[in-house]
């Protein structure tokens, strides 16, 4: 029982923390973000396993985490509110050429990131050629050119 | 199922072939979705067994109770390999003999790491190891705790005859890998 409860607790804590850390961490990991994820993974391992390094414990943990992930995916399909809470919603950073400075600031996204996405997707070199820029739920930036 | 000629055409850049080929393995995908959900069901059963304590480490069925005369033996019904477990024996006030004998079969399965309180003496017998304790003057119930670690997996559960306070009780312990 303890194994299952540990797995569920750590999964929930990591979900909340990763969600709260913002989409920038997921979609555009910097070296620092990568280091942070490594440390979090290492810290979580001890909390998950405790002093039990048996195969049974590992198998039960993996089964618990897998089922939680599957269950969460079904919950998101069933409940739009849960989907918004867990995955977030896309955010317009630029609308019809007008920059939403507040959205950029609060999502910790810079115009450099928008232009990088514009160059990669459409070969755009000038911000004026960007009609819309959307910060997607997965942390990526979609650019709609004029 | 994609034919070799279709695969070759796709690899050569035939975009229309790639589009037609996209739904060709639908039967396999349908089978795979069923297999996937069967695996989820097995995982769910495994997790429910874990919550019930059938895999050890807490839960309603993780521990067992055996009686040895008036003595009470609280033991792990399911232990895990190389994981610490506790065997607790409570001797009643009336027990004439403040001693516990752990059988050789149990000692082969488990390594006893700590005993609380410390035994006054340990004697090796033909049946196993006999731990003798000094009772307090008031002669009340005595709780003895044996911390142990499983040496190797053992399945199914093996019986072990523990002597406590002059009587014997049988415990059955499985050790999962």
């Amino acid at each position: 029982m303890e194994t299952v409860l540990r797995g569920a607790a750590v999964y929930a804590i990591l979900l909340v923390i990763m969600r709260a850390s913002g989409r920038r961490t997921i979609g555009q990991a910097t070296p620092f973000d990568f280091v942070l994820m490594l440390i979090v993974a290492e810290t979580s391992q001890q909390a998950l396993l405790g002093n039990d390094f048996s195969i049974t414990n590992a198998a039960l943990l993996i089964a618990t985490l897998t089922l939680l992930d599957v269950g969460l995916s079904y919950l998101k399909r069933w409940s739009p509110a849960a989907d918004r809470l867990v995955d977030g919603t896309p955010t317009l950073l630029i609308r019809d050429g007008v920059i939403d400075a507040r959205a950029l600031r609060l999502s910790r996204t810079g115009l450099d990131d928008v232009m990088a996405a514009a160059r990669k997707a459409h070969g755009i070199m000038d911000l004026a050629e960007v009609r819309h820029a959307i910060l997607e739920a997965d942390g990526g930036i979609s650019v709609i050119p004029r | 199922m994609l034919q070799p000629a279709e695969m070759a055409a796709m690899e050569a850049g035939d975009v229309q072939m790639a589009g037609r080929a996209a739904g060709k393995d639908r039967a396999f995908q349908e089978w795979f979705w069923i297999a996937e959900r069967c695996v989820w069901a097995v995982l769910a059963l495994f997790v429910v067994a874990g919550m019930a304590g059938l895999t050890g480490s807490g839960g309603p069925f993780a521990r067992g109770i055996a009686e040895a005369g008036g003595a009470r033996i609280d033991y792990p019904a399911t232990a895990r390999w190389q994981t610490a477990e506790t065997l607790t024996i409570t001797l009643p006030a009336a027990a004439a003999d403040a001693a516990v004998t752990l059988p050789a079969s149990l000692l082969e399965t488990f390594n006893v790491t700590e005993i609380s309180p410390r035994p006054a003496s340990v004697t090796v017998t033909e049946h196993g190891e006999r731990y003798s304790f000094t009772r307090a003057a008031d002669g009340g119930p005595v709780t003895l705790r044996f911390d142990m670690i499983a040496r190797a997996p053992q399945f199914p559960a093996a019986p072990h005859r523990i002597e406590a306070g002059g009587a014997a009780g049988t415990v059955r312990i499985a050790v999962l890998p």
Side-chain angles (χ1 to χ4, degrees):
Chain A
M1 176 192 269
E2 180 191 327
T3 304
V4 175
L5 295 178
R6 270 177 185 269
V10 172
Y11 183 89
I13 290 168
L14 283 175
L15 190 63
V16 169
I17 291 175
M18 287 296 123
R19 187 73 180 92
S21 68
R23 284 171 282 191
R24 286 272 292 121
T25 306
I26 299 166
Q28 298 176 6
T30 64
F32 176 76
D33 295 327
F34 185 62
V35 168
L36 179 65
M37 277 191 268
L38 283 176
I39 294 174
V40 167
E42 193 61 33
T43 309
S44 306
Q45 181 210 358
Q46 197 58 44
L48 283 168
L49 295 177
N51 290 324
D52 189 341
F53 300 108
S54 63
I55 295 172
T56 302
N57 195 39
L60 194 51
L61 271 169
I62 291 166
T64 301
L65 295 172
T66 301
L67 286 178
L68 281 171
D69 205 53
V70 170
L72 196 59
S73 67
Y74 274 104
L75 178 65
K76 289 190 298 180
R77 282 192 60 189
W78 176 72
S79 168
D83 188 25
R84 276 197 308 273
L85 191 63
V86 174
D87 285 344
T89 58
T91 303
L92 270 167
L93 301 175
I94 298 176
R95 183 200 294 266
D96 286 323
V98 177
I99 298 170
D100 187 337
R102 186 167 187 272
L104 280 170
R105 180 171 52 83
L106 291 177
S107 63
R108 292 176 290 142
T109 307
L111 285 174
D112 290 346
D113 301 315
V114 174
M115 285 311 300
R119 284 192 297 271
K120 285 179 194 171
H122 303 287
I124 293 174
M125 297 292 287
D126 188 349
L127 189 61
E129 295 178 51
V130 175
R131 183 179 176 194
H132 302 298
I134 301 113
L135 177 64
E136 303 290 354
D138 63 2
I141 297 176
S142 300
V143 173
I144 314 297
R146 289 186 185 278
Chain B
M1 173 73 89
L2 292 175
Q3 300 302 315
E6 291 170 329
M7 286 295 294
M10 282 173 59
E11 286 164 5
D14 185 342
V15 177
Q16 286 184 343
M17 175 63 75
R20 284 195 297 274
K24 285 202 86 170
D25 283 337
R26 182 53 182 254
F28 170 79
Q29 187 60 56
E30 293 283 346
W31 170 87
F32 189 81
W33 282 332
I34 294 171
E36 191 179 59
R37 278 144 181 82
C38 289
V39 171
W40 291 351
V42 170
L43 292 180
L45 286 174
F46 188 35
V47 170
V48 168
M51 284 294 290
L54 295 173
T55 62
S57 191
F61 297 102
R63 299 193 67 83
I65 302 290
E67 301 287 335
R72 183 171 183 270
I73 305 171
D74 182 349
Y75 63 96
T78 306
R80 294 177 185 173
W81 183 26
Q82 294 181 336
T83 303
E85 293 289 350
T86 304
L87 175 73
T88 305
I89 300 173
T90 303
L91 301 176
D97 184 12
V100 167
T101 299
L102 297 184
S105 61
L106 184 68
L107 296 171
E108 282 167 12
T109 306
F110 289 91
N111 180 29
V112 178
T113 57
E114 180 119 5
I115 304 170
S116 176
R118 285 175 183 268
S121 66
V122 181
T123 309
V124 178
T125 71
E126 60 178 336
H127 302 296
E129 291 181 3
R130 177 184 166 90
Y131 302 85
S132 298
F133 301 83
T134 305
R135 290 195 88 106
D138 60 9
V142 175
T143 298
L144 313 170
R145 177 189 164 117
F146 295 80
D147 292 331
M148 48 193 194
I149 294 178
R151 296 176 197 270
Q154 183 170 66
F155 198 81
H160 306 287
R161 190 169 179 273
I162 296 175
E163 294 175 12
T170 300
V171 302
R172 302 186 73 89
I173 304 176
V175 180
L176 299 180

